[in-house]
Amino acid sequence: MTEVAKWTALHPLTDWVGALIFDVPIDFAVTGSGDTAAKWAAVLTLLLVAVPVTAAWSVLDRRRPDYARLYEWFRLLLRISLASALLLYGMIKVLPTQMSFNLERLVEPFGHMSPMAVLWAQSSLSEPYEMALGAAEVVAALLLILPVTAGLGSVLAVIVSLQVLLMNLTFDVPVKLFALQLFLYAVVLAAPDIIRIIRAMLGRAVVARTSTPLLPTPRGNRILLAAQVLVGVWLLCATTVEAYDGWQTYGNARPKSPLYGIWNVTEFSVAGEQVPALVDFSESPPASGMPSATERFRRIIFDIPQGMTMQRLDDSLVSFPARIDTDQHTITLSKDTTHQWKLATFSYVQPQSDRLILEGTLGGKPVRMQLEQVDLAQYPAVSRGFHWVQATPYYR
């Protein structure tokens, strides 16, 4: 099921709920956010439908004493759903991809970053921290696969999903709805075991937990158990392959630009005339984001092979797809990754390993820049490292 189809299952009722209750038009276009008004309206619509349907079913089937077997199937569905989500999000942390390190964060002012960018930056600066978060999610997911360890896995899932939910809420990450959903899954699964833990801590007797077999025959249940193991192995392999591919493509193991580094612009001239490094806060950056020919830059950042980021004198950043030809010593900036719409072309000379000269056209005018590479060791965020012994706190 596609992302759009999943949320439009109750269309046009969802449109009516959105218009009547939220007073917003419902648009299920994929935006990268999990907390759009359309998705909140869709969840509310599902609840508005589920409550009366549940009440009606309870009345019509009131003579049935229990739903013991159906309840166990429901728990199995929750376990597999929760395990698959935890494995995916866990593996892209174990192989640091979700919060990948970007050079531009070292020079971007803290106050310019959104709360989400702050969370991503601080997590990416410590691979062991990010990997530990992911390992906890992976362990919880693997424990959820087998019925014998599902109780422990569900309790651990409550802890890790609560931590994720709190980060999403406090750092304004637009995955609050999905994080809440996973947390509720974990709570429902862990509730019986949490009650047992509380009783044990209070010194009360805890009897052995019983459950209704999913199938009526022992052979059927053995086959079902083997199927759960196979599903767990498949999920682990699939998420590992996907995470590894992402790690190599855009995670911390991605290729680096041939000009990798942060470069200070020491000289900048347009048509042979030097442009001083003065900030004019009365002028706003162009609406298109493309620098003008006379706009001087503070720094140029080369991180990924297909990109280039410019930092203006007011410390704002603007990034463009870039094609760097190391044979011809040229840099071509484009509007998109297809490179069909060229914005600027520069030739470059590297007289020394830490010196770079760019010459080309920008906004139809000849531009020349001299760059000096910044020593990344000057940033404690990446050079400080770990110390067991510290004579005094290193806080700066």
Side-chain angles (χ1 to χ4, degrees), residues 67-286:
Y67 294 93
R69 180 161 291 163
L70 182 60
Y71 172 68
E72 294 300 329
W73 279 102
F74 171 69
R75 287 179 61 85
L76 175 61
L77 177 62
L78 285 189
R79 280 169 43 209
I80 299 301
S81 299
L82 181 58
S84 61
L86 290 178
L87 271 175
L88 176 59
Y89 279 94
M91 289 307 304
I92 60 176
K93 293 185 182 74
V94 171
L95 298 173
T97 304
Q98 185 178 15
M99 291 92 165
S100 56
F101 176 72
N102 298 309
L103 272 181
E104 63 188 46
R105 296 303 185 194
L106 295 177
V107 296
E108 184 175 13
F110 184 85
H112 286 191
M113 290 190 283
S114 67
M116 178 178 174
V118 170
L119 174 62
W120 253 239
Q122 68 94 13
S123 298
S124 69
L125 283 174
S126 175
E127 281 192 347
Y129 172 72
E130 183 175 355
M131 293 169 70
L133 294 178
E137 294 177 337
V138 170
V139 170
L142 295 178
L143 291 173
L144 282 167
I145 299 297
L146 295 178
V148 67
T149 58
L152 179 59
S154 62
V155 173
L156 180 56
V158 168
I159 298 172
V160 297
S161 61
L162 176 59
Q163 189 256 356
V164 171
L165 177 60
L166 286 175
M167 288 198 302
N168 288 354
L169 291 174
T170 54
F171 286 89
D172 196 32
V173 181
V175 198
K176 306 175 189 69
L177 191 56
F178 186 56
L180 177 60
Q181 178 182 338
L182 296 182
F183 175 66
L184 292 177
Y185 283 6
V187 169
V188 170
L189 289 171
D193 295 287
I194 292 176
I195 293 174
R196 291 161 55 80
I197 292 173
I198 295 175
R199 288 181 62 87
M201 293 176 65
L202 294 176
R204 298 180 183 178
V206 179
V207 298
R209 187 166 179 261
T210 60
S211 61
T212 302
L214 293 169
L215 296 175
T217 64
R219 183 171 182 270
N221 282 291
R222 287 196 297 270
I223 294 174
L224 184 59
L225 178 60
Q228 293 176 56
V229 174
L230 289 176
V231 168
V233 172
W234 175 75
L235 285 174
L236 178 61
C237 292
T239 54
T240 300
V241 169
E242 184 174 353
Y244 181 80
D245 181 64
W247 182 55
Q248 292 282 334
T249 304
Y250 50 85
N252 284 356
R254 65 186 183 273
K256 294 181 179 180
S257 170
L259 299 175
Y260 182 83
I262 300 172
W263 301 78
N264 286 331
V265 180
T266 56
E267 293 184 20
F268 188 99
S269 62
V270 178
E273 183 178 346
Q274 289 289 328
V275 179
L278 300 176
V279 184
D280 185 359
F281 291 102
S282 64
E283 294 186 8
S284 300

